[in-house]
């Protein structure tokens, strides 16, 4: 459910409409930028936002010179969260640092040039989905999730030793949705890793032009986005079933245990090599289905109210005795 919650946030951000920016006269740079646009997922008029603490721009258009930026070069600084638009691109072949220069503008009065590499390191696409992807890809976030997963596991072990409560795979509730959620999460995490390893350029293109419409994407990315939608729908189904089947405190503990399992699954698949993560995914899916079929699947129906029962005896819903 950890990944499910994150991807739920990604879904909600798709409702956001990014602001419109100035459109600059870029006729003079059209010839210079044609080749760059052909090989890059962004070009003239593309909107960015500064995510570094600051960003240095040169006031004047770079020329074919060898000494580079000096103390006498006019410059200006942009700050974090400033919104930019790409106004022009040009190439300086003899520049040993980066031959591609980009002109960006915050407004009609604030614009300047910088290396493309500096631009990509200090900015992100001004789209909520892209910003979420950037945040979730941050190494610090991954370490935080690892810490939270370990802390949750320790807390759950402590609770299991002192008080019995319902938990996925160990003492599950009679509904398939939590198991389907963890299985879908496992598949989504592995598909994400597969895209990163086998089709990084496709992921870069998606990062700069994100969408949650799976049917407009290549098959691999389409499958991943379908799993995102499935996670969203399953998360709603899980919450609904858990709240119906368990009282408040028990429902909270169950969903916390589910969250911990999902975090561990995501980290295990993300931090292992692709082939090994595939084996782990298959092994977990087989284990999860076995535990549900063997221990959690309801085998009986109440003769009076028709509710699902795991064993014969008194129905917890209507009190009828089923022999």
């Amino acid at each position: 459910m950890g990944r499910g919650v994150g991807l739920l946030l990604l879904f909600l951000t798709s409702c956001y409409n990014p602001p419109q920016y100035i459109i600059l006269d870029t006729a003079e740079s059209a010839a210079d930028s044609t080749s760059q646009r052909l090989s890059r997922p962004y070009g003239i008029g593309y909107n960015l936002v500064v995510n570094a603490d600051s960003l240095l721009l040169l006031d004047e258009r770079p020329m074919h010179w060898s000494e580079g930026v000096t103390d006498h070069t006019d410059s200006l600084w942009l700050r974090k969260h400033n919104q930019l638009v790409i106004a022009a691109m040009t190439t300086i072949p003899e520049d040993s640092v980066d031959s591609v220069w980009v002109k960006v503008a915050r407004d009609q009065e604030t614009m300047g040039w910088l290396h493309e590499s500096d631009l990509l390191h200090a900015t992100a696409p001004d789209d909520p989905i892209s910003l979420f992807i950037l945040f979730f890809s941050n190494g610090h976030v991954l370490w935080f999730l690892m810490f939270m997963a370990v802390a949750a596991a320790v807390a759950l072990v402590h609770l299991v030793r002192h008080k019995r409560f319902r938990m996925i795979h160990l003492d599950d509730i009679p509904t398939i949705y939590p198991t389907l959620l963890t299985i879908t999460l496992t598949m989504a995490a592995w598909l994400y890793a597969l895209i990163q390893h086998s089709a990084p350029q496709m992921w870069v293109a998606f990062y700069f032009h994100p969408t949650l419409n799976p049917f407009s994407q290549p098959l691999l990315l389409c499958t991943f986005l379908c799993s995102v939608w499935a996670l969203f729908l399953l998360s709603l189904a899980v919450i609904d079933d858990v709240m119906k089947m368990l009282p408040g405190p028990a429902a909270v503990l169950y969903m916390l245990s589910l969250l911990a399992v999902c975090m561990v699954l995501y980290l295990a698949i993300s931090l292992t090599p692709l082939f090994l993560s595939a084996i782990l995914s298959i092994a977990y899916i087989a284990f999860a289905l076995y535990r549900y079929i063997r221990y959690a699947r309801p085998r009986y129906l109440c003769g009076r109210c028709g509710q699902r029962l795991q064993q014969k005896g008194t129905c917890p819903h209507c009190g009828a005795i089923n022999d």
Side-chain angles (χ1 to χ4, degrees):
M1 191 172 177
R3 178 71 169 178
V5 171
L7 292 171
L8 171 59
L9 294 176
L10 188 151
F11 167 77
L12 293 175
T13 57
S14 67
C15 301
Y16 168 83
N17 292 319
Q20 299 299 314
Y21 299 110
I22 56 172
I23 303 299
L24 301 179
D25 181 9
T26 57
E28 61 173 308
S29 61
D32 291 335
S33 62
T34 299
S35 60
Q36 282 85 358
R37 290 200 306 270
L38 292 175
S39 60
R40 290 171 172 78
Y42 52 86
I44 306 302
Y46 191 84
N47 295 321
L48 301 164
V49 60
V50 179
N51 60 3
D53 292 333
S54 60
L55 184 62
L56 176 65
L57 302 181
L58 300 185
D59 235 358
E60 300 179 359
R61 180 188 178 112
M63 305 301 292
H64 295 262
W65 83 110
S66 58
E67 66 271 16
V69 179
T70 69
D71 294 337
H72 302 290
T73 305
D74 291 332
S75 61
L76 57 95
W77 289 92
L78 299 178
R79 301 303 176 187
K80 193 169 186 176
H81 305 310
N82 281 173
Q83 295 162 329
L84 311 174
V85 61
I86 296 179
M89 301 176 72
T90 191
T91 302
I92 309 294
E94 62 269 27
D95 191 330
S96 60
V97 177
D98 186 351
S99 61
V100 179
W101 283 79
V102 182
K103 183 180 183 181
V104 295
R106 187 183 64 188
D107 49 53
Q108 291 288 1
E109 290 74 35
T110 309
M111 59 186 71
W113 294 84
L114 75 166
H115 286 120
E116 181 187 40
S117 55
D118 294 334
L119 176 70
L120 295 179
H121 279 101
T123 63
D126 193 15
D127 183 282
I129 300 177
S130 300
L131 294 174
F132 176 83
I133 292 172
L134 181 65
F135 170 78
F136 208 74
S137 302
N138 190 301
H140 297 294
V141 174
L142 190 60
W143 282 105
F144 174 76
L145 289 177
M146 290 178 63
F147 173 79
M148 291 296 295
V150 172
V154 171
L156 289 172
V157 169
H158 178 76
L159 287 171
V160 168
R161 293 179 61 183
H162 291 81
K163 182 180 180 181
R164 180 177 178 270
F165 69 96
R166 308 302 290 269
M167 180 177 177
I168 187 171
H169 302 327
L170 297 181
D171 188 9
D172 211 346
I173 58 177
T175 174
I176 188 63
Y177 293 121
T179 299
L180 287 180
L181 178 67
T182 58
I183 289 175
T184 305
L185 170 70
T186 301
M187 297 172 61
W190 189 80
L191 284 170
Y192 177 76
L194 178 62
I195 293 172
Q196 294 290 323
H197 284 82
S198 63
Q201 292 303 316
M202 179 173 65
W203 184 253
V204 170
F206 177 76
Y207 172 68
F208 281 95
H209 301 281
T211 176
L212 288 180
N213 175 15
F215 305 109
S216 63
Q217 302 299 317
L219 179 61
L220 184 57
L221 191 54
C222 171
T223 307
F224 171 72
L225 292 177
C226 286
S227 69
V228 172
W229 280 102
L231 282 171
F232 168 66
L233 297 175
L234 286 170
S235 297
L236 298 179
V238 166
I239 294 173
D240 182 62
D241 268 9
V242 171
M243 298 304 293
K244 288 179 179 177
M245 296 181 181
L246 298 175
V252 171
L253 286 175
Y254 182 89
M255 286 191 283
L256 285 176
S257 72
L258 184 58
L259 175 62
V261 169
C262 287
M263 285 195 296
V264 170
L265 285 172
Y266 171 73
L267 293 171
I269 294 172
S270 301
L271 298 178
T272 53
L274 188 62
F275 178 74
L276 181 58
S277 67
I279 296 176
L280 289 175
S281 299
I282 294 172
Y284 172 76
I285 291 173
F287 165 78
L289 290 175
Y290 169 77
R291 292 293 299 185
Y292 173 76
I293 294 172
R294 180 68 178 83
Y295 297 105
R297 183 181 62 174
R299 295 174 174 80
Y300 308 101
L301 293 176
C302 176
R304 176 185 293 177
C305 65
Q307 293 291 331
R308 297 171 293 182
L309 302 174
Q310 287 183 281
Q311 59 187 8
K312 295 180 180 180
T314 303
C315 175
H317 305 282
C318 67
I321 297 177
N322 296 269
D323 296 326

